[in-house]
């Protein structure tokens, strides 16, 4: 399962407890690091026989109104990716592909830049790209050997 980032801004709460401040802070966190990198060790995913792979970053789609902030969003993602690659941790980037149906050119360019940076980190640090299922299987296999 995909869990949320481990920070109070991303904790599940009732709709009645959600407010504009929380939403604004999460939006700001997409551009400026206010809650941390949210990278983690694979071993931390197993909790009570359930593999929970927390999110590191939700890739928000390109917004024309915030076009001047898009470089900050990419920089935030790249810094977290680098942190994970340097420390042998997991960086879990996720998005909804249907959100990318508007501003397709800009969204594809953003994904392309992230993929190119991944290739650099793969070459430089051996950073590995795997699916959630592959990560869950690795975690479960390791648990079976303990």
């Amino acid at each position: 399962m995909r869990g949320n980032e481990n920070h109070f801004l991303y904790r599940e709460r009732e709709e009645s407890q959600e407010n504009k401040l929380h939403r604004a802070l999460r939006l700001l966190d997409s551009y400026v690091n206010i809650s941390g990198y949210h990278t983690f060790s694979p071993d931390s995913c197993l909790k009570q026989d359930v593999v929970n792979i927390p999110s590191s970053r939700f890739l928000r789609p390109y917004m024309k109104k915030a076009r001047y902030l898009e470089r900050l969003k990419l920089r935030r993602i790249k810094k977290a990716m680098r942190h994970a690659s340097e420390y042998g941790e997991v960086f879990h980037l996720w998005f909804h592909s249907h959100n990318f149906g508007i501003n397709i050119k800009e969204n594809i360019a953003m994904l392309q830049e992230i993929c190119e940076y991944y290739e650099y980190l793969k070459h430089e640090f051996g950073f590995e790209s795997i699916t959630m299922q592959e990560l869950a299987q690795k975690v479960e296999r390791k648990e079976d050997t303990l």
Side-chain angles (χ1 to χ4, degrees):
M1 82 181 210
R2 184 198 56 80
N4 292 339
E5 290 93 327
N6 187 20
H7 191 270
F8 81 90
L9 286 177
Y10 299 97
R11 285 198 191 114
E12 270 189 62
R13 45 178 70 83
E14 298 291 325
E15 187 70 31
S16 61
Q17 294 177 326
E18 185 63 50
N19 62 47
K20 289 181 181 181
L21 178 60
H22 284 128
R23 293 183 75 196
L25 288 171
R26 284 194 304 267
L27 179 63
L28 179 63
D29 193 42
S30 295
Y31 299 99
V32 180
N33 187 353
I34 60 174
S35 69
Y37 290 127
H38 302 289
T39 62
F40 51 91
S41 74
D43 297 342
S44 69
C45 296
L46 189 64
K47 296 200 182 354
Q48 299 165 350
D49 296 327
V50 174
V51 178
N52 177 19
I53 302 171
S55 168
S56 296
R57 181 73 18 225
F58 172 63
L59 179 57
R60 292 180 181 274
Y62 177 88
M63 294 188 309
K64 283 186 181 178
K65 290 181 180 178
R67 67 183 167 271
Y68 299 110
L69 299 175
E70 290 299 308
R71 299 302 314 158
L72 290 175
K73 178 172 61 178
L74 278 170
R75 187 172 134 216
R76 170 122 166 77
I77 289 168
K78 287 178 177 181
K79 281 187 160 193
M81 288 172 68
R82 182 175 186 99
H83 176 84
S85 65
E86 288 177 338
Y87 291 92
E89 295 183 331
V90 175
F91 175 78
H92 178 191
L93 182 68
W94 70 282
F95 59 93
H96 296 291
S97 55
H98 66 266
N99 288 347
F100 286 27
I102 300 173
N103 304 311
I104 294 172
K105 182 179 138 196
E106 291 85 356
N107 285 313
I108 296 298
M110 180 173 50
L111 284 171
Q112 181 68 36
E113 188 168 337
I114 291 169
C115 289
E116 288 170 1
Y117 193 64
Y118 160 74
E119 287 294 329
Y120 164 75
L121 294 174
K122 179 181 175 183
H123 175 74
E124 192 72 20
F125 300 101
F127 203 37
E128 182 181 22
S129 176
I130 60 174
T131 66
M132 288 177 60
Q133 181 178 0
E134 290 168 331
L135 179 57
Q137 289 169 342
K138 280 185 173 188
V139 169
E140 289 169 341
R141 277 194 306 268
K142 188 170 184 182
E143 178 68 15
D144 289 344
T145 61
L146 297 179

